[in-house]
Amino acid sequence: MQRLVVALVGTPNVGKSTIFNRIIGERKAIIDDTRGVTRDRIYGTASWLTKTFGVIDTGGIEIKNVPFQTEIRLQAEIAINEADVIVFLTDAKLGVTNDDIFIAKMLQKSKKKVILAVNKVDDFSLISRVNDFYELGFGTPLPLSGVHGTGIGDLLDQIVAFIKEDYLEEAAVSEATIALIGQVNVGKSSLVNAMLNEERVVVSPVAGTTRDSIDTTF
Ligand code: GDP
Ligand code: MG
């Protein structure tokens, strides 16, 4: 039996990577104002009270066919399939968008457990907007502020409530660590995918495709 896995899913720029870094307690994923920075799946481990679970950060899903959207969506879909619980992140400043509705349909089809969270609720002026997100059909939306850290404890409470007896803690194993380093476009990501025999990282001829540092086990 494996530990519970949570995937953070949402449109670009809603604060998925910000919330990911907050819940794993490390600055692992790159956070930026620019849309579409996260492309790959980023894995982390979080602990809350006595419980431990896995977390996956994903790139932003949107309807528009922007560069890398096909690859980003494939990576996000792999994360959704692997996860037991999805945290569906939305943005209070934007309100419900067509992209949110698109993702809501995707998640409904996945039949996974979904926690709906509304990020960027930085002050009370935005709290009244949170109820608009009921329309997405995932019950009571949870207000968060990734920059201030408010609501994160409530989110973690909701996540660990899904951890039942049958999720075991993984025993700590010591592993040898190998880093693949080289200049742009020499084929580092292709080599990783070949070693793992899966689409673990996005590969393209565009220099600088990989942004985050990716770690994985084989
Ligand atoms: P992602 O694309 O969903 O991973 O979003 P990021 O985590 O990279 O954040 C996108 C932008 O939103 C960055 O400029 C963040 O600093 C900003 N951001 C994240 N969380 C909050 C929040 O709670 N409030 C505000 N005002 N900005 C936030
Ligand atoms: Mg991101």
Side-chain angles (χ1 to χ4, degrees):
M1 274 268 191
Q2 290 196 319
R3 65 182 179 181
L4 185 95
V5 175
V6 178
L8 302 176
V9 175
T11 62
N13 249 5
V14 295
K16 296 177 294 302
S17 298
T18 305
I19 303 293
F20 174 82
N21 286 349
R22 277 229 177 243
I23 65 185
I24 67 164
E26 269 180 71
R27 284 205 230 155
K28 187 170 186 180
I30 302 172
I31 299 171
D32 203 88
D33 301 339
T34 324
R35 294 170 72 89
V37 166
T38 313
R39 288 175 173 169
D40 297 286
R41 281 170 283 144
I42 324 288
Y43 286 73
T45 301
S47 296
W48 183 240
L49 310 172
T50 58
K51 312 279 190 188
T52 303
F53 57 92
V55 198
I56 317 175
D57 184 23
T58 65
I61 299 171
E62 56 190 312
I63 302 167
K64 217 165 120 197
N65 192 18
V66 294
F68 286 101
Q69 180 54 211
T70 312
E71 291 84 356
I72 288 171
R73 201 182 295 172
L74 173 72
Q75 292 297 325
E77 280 167 356
I78 296 171
I80 292 168
N81 285 335
E82 276 179 22
D84 306 291
V85 176
I86 313 294
V87 174
F88 178 16
L89 275 175
T90 58
D91 184 333
K93 291 187 195 283
L94 294 178
V96 177
T97 64
N98 287 335
D99 288 327
D100 290 332
I101 294 168
F102 176 78
I103 295 173
K105 286 180 186 151
M106 260 178 79
L107 294 180
Q108 235 120 32
K109 273 191 220 136
S110 78
K111 308 241 191 304
K112 298 277 168 150
K113 298 170 188 119
V114 174
I115 299 171
L116 172 63
V118 185
N119 192 32
K120 309 198 185 179
V121 184
D122 300 337
D123 57 62
F124 283 111
S125 68
L126 286 161
I127 202 94
S128 59
R129 296 261 200 110
V130 174
N131 287 340
D132 295 345
F133 290 84
Y134 267 102
E135 96 165 68
L136 293 172
F138 293 106
T140 309
L142 177 71
L144 301 179
S145 170
V147 289
H148 298 313
T150 48
I152 305 292
D154 299 307
L155 175 64
L156 291 165
D157 282 341
Q158 290 198 19
I159 293 170
V160 298
F162 287 110
I163 304 179
K164 301 284 170 343
E165 305 299 304
D166 49 346
Y167 288 107
L168 297 179
E169 299 293 312
E170 269 173 12
V173 282
S174 57
E175 298 167 331
T177 304
I178 299 165
L180 293 181
I181 294 171
Q183 66 171 59
V184 292
N185 258 3
V186 293
K188 299 178 293 299
S189 296
S190 307
L191 184 57
V192 168
N193 287 347
M195 285 164 83
L196 299 169
N197 198 21
E198 61 164 302
E199 286 296 298
R200 176 63 186 86
V201 267
V202 173
V203 172
S204 92
V206 179
T209 294
T210 309
R211 265 91 173 252
D212 287 280
S213 78
I214 312 294
D215 49 56
T216 190
T217 308
F218 86 108

